[in-house]
Amino acid sequence: MNTLLYALFHALRCHRWLRLLACAFLFTSVGNGLTQVMVFGLLLEWQAPASLLTLAYLFALLPGFLGSLVGEKFCMRFSPIGLLLLTEWMGLLALLFPLLGIQFHSMVALLAVQSTEAFLTGMSWPALALLFRRGLSEAELPAATCLETMIFASQVLLGTGLGMVLFHHLPALALLGIDALTFAGSLLMLRLTGSALPSLAPEQAAETEKPVAMRWQALGAQQKRSLLLLPALAAVGSPAMALLPALAQQIEPNDAAGLALPLLFARSMGQLCGPLLLKRESLPRYAGQNRLLLTCLGLFLLAYGTIPLLSGMQALGVVFVAHLASNVVFAVGTFSLLSSFQADLISSASGRAWRWQTASASLFTGLTALVADVLGPLQALYGVSGCALLMVVGILTRYCR
């Protein structure tokens, strides 16, 4: 077997620290997904306008730009495990925002918790990339790609799945309590991970792998391309994902929350399954194939464009297929980033890629919100994402391997 999933299982068997780290992010993903369900569910129940629902996606992205910059700088001074622990403690404290939002019926407080999570995710991304690059061999990097993909998907797959079951049966305060317990579990697993990784402490690795700043002018074409793949995906995909609640309102105006949450679950199923279809030895080849990457992005856009024309169950299948395609691009971009940079540059490279991805998603989400108010959600989707796809064609052609 040579799939990414098999590569991950093999790496998990070989590395105790990786098993503990995976458990930590399992807890984190469940908690973040629960918070996302609660925020969007309450916004829909409180009948938030479509523009605010679209901007909610923006507020859940933009702070990651600053967070990645902070995380990149901290990686040059502190242990990556220490940085991950800090982000989890801050995430636990951030649960005060939804608590205030529930008590005072404040939409602003609900959006604040998503912004805080985005900031902390941006902080953790360079540390996670540095941890993988230091702790895994070149042959094991496909396992890191698979794990990052599963972390990305399970945030909504596990958290939303549980949230969909509990949202209408438990009060929002109970969901916050469950979220706090997941943070406690993650903190415990991260402490155990740190004890299993004495060789990754910065004082022991500083002589050979001390992180340094990256200069764009000094990079090769392959490295520049690897930095641009994830921002390109964000440019095409963020308008569609931002409009998902508004599209749900068009399909089921009387029960938007009842449809939006299953759509989020279908989205994450596609995010999880897409990369698992790839073979690990094919990743380097796929990273240079413009036709494959553009076909996946075009299929994603086409699938989202048909959602308002379908029934609820049909829309679930279309969203699954859309993210099956888009997350092939995500897996290829993640592997390309990890494999193109050595450990001394990976935290800087991943931080910059995260910032560009955040800036790209924020820009195109903001444009989508403006166009959606004037022309409607479907026209905004095709107009903004279509222009983004043309831009991506130019970028991939310019940095063709």
Side-chain angles (χ1 to χ4, degrees):
M1 296 178 65
N2 54 4
T3 64
L4 291 185
L5 188 60
Y6 177 77
L8 176 59
F9 286 156
H10 178 74
L12 289 173
R13 287 199 303 267
C14 295
H15 300 285
R16 179 173 177 266
W17 68 267
L18 192 62
R19 295 194 297 271
L20 293 169
L21 185 68
C23 288
F25 276 98
L26 178 66
F27 282 114
T28 298
S29 297
V30 170
N32 289 343
L34 279 172
T35 301
Q36 186 179 43
V37 168
M38 184 189 63
V39 168
F40 275 102
L42 290 176
L43 288 175
L44 290 169
E45 284 189 352
W46 295 348
Q47 298 182 341
S51 57
L52 182 61
L53 291 173
T54 304
L55 288 174
Y57 185 80
L58 177 63
F59 295 148
L61 285 175
L62 192 56
F65 186 97
L66 179 60
S68 69
L69 185 61
V70 173
E72 179 184 334
K73 299 300 182 183
F74 278 17
C75 280
M76 297 181 182
R77 299 184 178 183
F78 304 106
S79 151
I81 285 291
L83 182 54
L84 292 175
L85 283 167
L86 176 62
T87 61
E88 291 301 296
W89 276 113
M90 294 175 68
L92 182 59
L93 292 175
L95 294 182
L96 292 174
F97 286 121
L99 181 63
L100 293 173
I102 294 168
Q103 294 296 324
F104 298 101
H105 204 278
S106 170
M107 294 185 185
V108 174
L110 293 182
L111 296 178
V113 69
Q114 287 204 295
S115 297
T116 304
E117 285 185 357
F119 176 83
L120 298 177
T121 301
M123 276 186 64
S124 66
W125 195 261
L128 189 61
L130 179 58
L131 203 57
F132 286 148
R133 205 63 178 84
R134 284 178 172 178
L136 298 175
S137 66
E138 291 282 346
E140 292 173 325
L141 288 182
T145 300
C146 186
L147 183 57
E148 287 193 5
T149 301
M150 295 184 74
I151 290 170
F152 180 75
S154 62
Q155 173 173 334
V156 187
L157 180 63
L158 298 177
T160 301
L162 183 61
M164 287 169 56
V165 174
L166 299 179
F167 182 72
H168 293 294
H169 296 87
L170 290 178
L173 290 178
L175 294 179
L176 279 181
I178 297 173
D179 197 354
L181 290 176
T182 64
F183 275 107
S186 178
L187 285 166
L188 175 61
M189 290 298 104
L190 285 175
R191 287 200 172 276
L192 294 175
T193 302
S195 66
L197 278 174
S199 61
L200 296 187
E203 63 268 18
Q204 298 179 7
E207 294 299 323
T208 58
E209 296 182 331
K210 183 178 180 180
V212 296
M214 182 185 66
R215 293 176 57 84
W216 175 261
Q217 295 82 357
L219 300 180
Q222 178 180 341
Q223 291 175 315
K224 291 179 179 179
R225 179 185 173 90
S226 69
L227 285 170
L228 293 172
L229 281 177
L230 294 181
L233 172 61
V236 177
S238 58
M241 290 187 286
L243 286 168
L244 189 57
L247 294 174
Q249 283 183 329
Q250 282 197 345
I251 300 173
E252 295 286 349
N254 297 324
D255 188 23
L259 178 61
L261 297 182
L263 285 175
L264 289 175
F265 186 79
R267 182 181 81 180
S268 292
M269 282 297 295
Q271 290 170 343
L272 176 63
C273 295
L276 300 184
L277 301 177
L278 299 174
K279 296 182 178 180
R280 55 181 175 179
E281 70 271 11
S282 300
L283 286 177
R285 178 165 52 90
Y286 289 158
Q289 288 187 354
N290 288 353
R291 182 176 299 178
L292 171 68
L293 298 176
L294 293 174
T295 298
C296 288
L297 293 176
L299 178 60
F300 171 85
L301 177 57
L302 179 63
Y304 259 89
T306 63
I307 289 178
L309 308 177
L310 305 173
S311 65
M313 289 302 297
Q314 291 172 330
L316 294 178
V318 167
V319 168
F320 172 79
V321 172
H323 286 276
L324 200 72
S326 70
N327 269 59
V328 169
V329 182
F330 180 82
V332 170
T334 301
F335 172 80
S336 181
L337 186 65
L338 288 173
S339 61
S340 298
F341 295 91
Q342 296 301 317
D344 59 342
L345 286 176
I346 190 60
S347 60
S348 182
S350 61
R352 184 171 297 190
W354 185 270
R355 289 194 294 279
W356 289 354
Q357 181 180 355
T358 301
S360 173
S362 300
L363 172 63
F364 284 93
T365 299
L367 291 174
T368 302
L370 294 175
V371 176
D373 264 352
V374 178
L375 301 178
L378 185 59
Q379 292 79 3
L381 170 64
Y382 273 123
V384 179
S385 287
C387 292
L389 185 59
L390 292 177
M391 183 193 71
V392 172
V393 171
I395 291 175
L396 294 183
T397 302
R398 169 66 177 83
Y399 294 104
C400 186
R401 297 174 76 176

